[in-house]
């Protein structure tokens, strides 16, 4: 069974304090790994797709990386507006659906 | 206007009542999904549809039904609501070429008393 585990559940940082969020996964052949951002009271918003180990994607202060067992979302010099819940999901080859992790709730204090 | 619109945004109902959550999209996508979000459990797929004549069960379809009335409309029904169906429900869409890039609505918060 495909599984996704995100850690930590919650992370509180000071503005400018860089850190990383982890997404560990087990899947029977990875088609893609996806990162989403979810603000309170909103639906998730797509950030990145990663397809193979070694791949990296960047967007502003965020960089996502992928290995064969996990993905990291690195946040460099975060700002309060980066506060959100970050969701990771995987899709197995031949599967139609995504399997989501529980999310990491990130708070950036000014 | 939002690309994926859900109604109602909030609903409080009683055990045993029939509830319908509606979703419409203006993105022109064929694929539509209904997810449920619970604290600590993440997003779980209830039903999905790849075109008007296609309906598929997700991982937690028991107690739910869906109707794909048109390419742009996908509704979720709870025939007889129960308290453990209290959750945040999301509709999502995507195109065939980018299957992992889902576009979500803003959610429908359902409380069953």
């Amino acid at each position: 069974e495909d599984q996704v585990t995100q850690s930590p559940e919650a992370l509180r940082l000071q503005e400018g304090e860089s850190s990383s969020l982890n997404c560990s996964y087990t899947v029977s052949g990875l088609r893609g790994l996806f990162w989403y951002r979810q603000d309170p009271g909103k639906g998730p918003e797509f950030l990145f797709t990663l397809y193979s180990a070694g791949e990296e994607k960047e967007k502003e202060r965020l960089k996502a990386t992928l290995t064969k067992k996990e993905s990291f979302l690195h946040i460099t010099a975060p700002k309060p507006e980066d506060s959100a819940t970050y969701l990771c999901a995987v899709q197995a080859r031949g599967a139609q659906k995504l399997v989501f992790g529980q999310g990491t709730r990130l708070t950036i204090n000014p | 206007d939002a690309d994926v619109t859900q109604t109602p945004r909030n609903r409080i109902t009683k055990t045993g009542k029939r509830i319908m959550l509606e979703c419409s999209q203006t993105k022109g996508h064929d694929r539509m999904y209904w997810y449920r979000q619970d604290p600590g459990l993440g997003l779980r797929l209830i039903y999905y549809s790849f075109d008007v004549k296609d309906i598929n069960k997700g991982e937690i379809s028991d107690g739910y039904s869906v109707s794909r009335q048109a390419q742009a409309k996908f509704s979720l029904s709870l025939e007889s609501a129960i308290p453990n169906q209290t959750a945040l429900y999301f509709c999502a869409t995507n195109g065939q070429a980018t299957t992992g890039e889902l576009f979500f609505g803003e959610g429908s918060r359902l409380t069953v008393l």
Side-chain angles (χ1 to χ4, degrees):
Chain A
E1 184 180 333
D2 302 333
Q3 285 191 316
V4 178
T5 302
Q6 292 187 245
S7 61
E9 285 188 17
L11 181 62
R12 190 177 291 269
L13 301 172
Q14 290 298 121
E15 184 172 1
E17 181 184 1
S18 301
S19 189
S20 298
L21 312 183
N22 178 264
C23 171
S24 297
Y25 66 91
T26 55
V27 65
S28 53
L30 182 69
R31 179 175 184 180
L33 184 141
F34 311 93
W35 282 98
Y36 285 81
R37 170 188 170 131
Q38 185 175 19
D39 293 304
K42 303 279 188 180
E45 180 182 349
F46 172 78
L47 290 172
F48 302 112
T49 304
L50 300 165
Y51 292 108
S52 56
E55 189 175 359
E56 299 183 351
K57 293 277 179 73
E58 285 190 66
K59 182 179 181 178
E60 296 181 359
R61 294 175 291 282
L62 300 177
K63 183 168 80 172
T65 62
L66 181 65
T67 73
K68 289 186 177 181
K69 293 189 297 185
E70 57 192 350
S71 177
F72 292 93
L73 185 65
H74 306 280
I75 301 174
T76 302
K79 298 182 178 182
E81 53 262 41
D82 295 321
S83 297
T85 296
Y86 290 86
L87 303 173
C88 172
V90 297
Q91 184 179 22
R93 285 198 206 99
Q96 301 296 344
K97 70 181 183 77
L98 303 188
V99 176
F100 281 86
Q102 312 93 308
T104 293
R105 188 173 66 255
L106 177 65
T107 304
I108 308 299
N109 294 318
Chain B
D1 289 340
D3 292 323
V4 183
T5 302
Q6 293 183 230
T7 56
R9 294 292 313 280
N10 288 284
R11 181 74 182 267
I12 300 173
T13 191
K14 295 182 178 179
T15 297
K17 294 291 188 181
R18 185 178 186 272
I19 295 296
M20 179 180 286
L21 307 179
E22 298 186 339
C23 176
S24 62
Q25 52 108 352
T26 58
K27 298 197 71 69
H29 288 158
D30 289 327
R31 301 181 175 200
M32 298 187 73
Y33 307 78
W34 276 104
Y35 283 89
R36 168 179 172 158
Q37 188 173 44
D38 298 275
L41 293 179
L43 285 160
R44 291 181 293 166
L45 183 62
I46 306 172
Y47 271 97
Y48 61 102
S49 168
F50 285 176
D51 65 42
V52 175
K53 296 181 180 179
D54 177 71
I55 300 290
N56 304 282
K57 291 183 178 181
E59 57 186 304
I60 54 164
S61 58
D62 287 348
Y64 302 94
S65 63
V66 291
S67 173
R68 184 81 184 265
Q69 302 95 323
Q71 185 205 33
K73 295 184 182 296
F74 193 35
S75 60
L76 176 72
S77 294
L78 289 68
E79 295 300 326
S80 180
I82 56 177
N84 77 359
Q85 292 178 313
T86 293
L88 186 55
Y89 291 86
F90 286 102
C91 175
T93 77
N94 68 352
Q96 193 170 2
T98 54
T99 58
E101 184 178 347
L102 296 172
F103 295 84
F104 285 85
E106 298 214 323
S108 296
R109 184 169 296 281
L110 177 66
T111 302
V112 183
L113 302 176

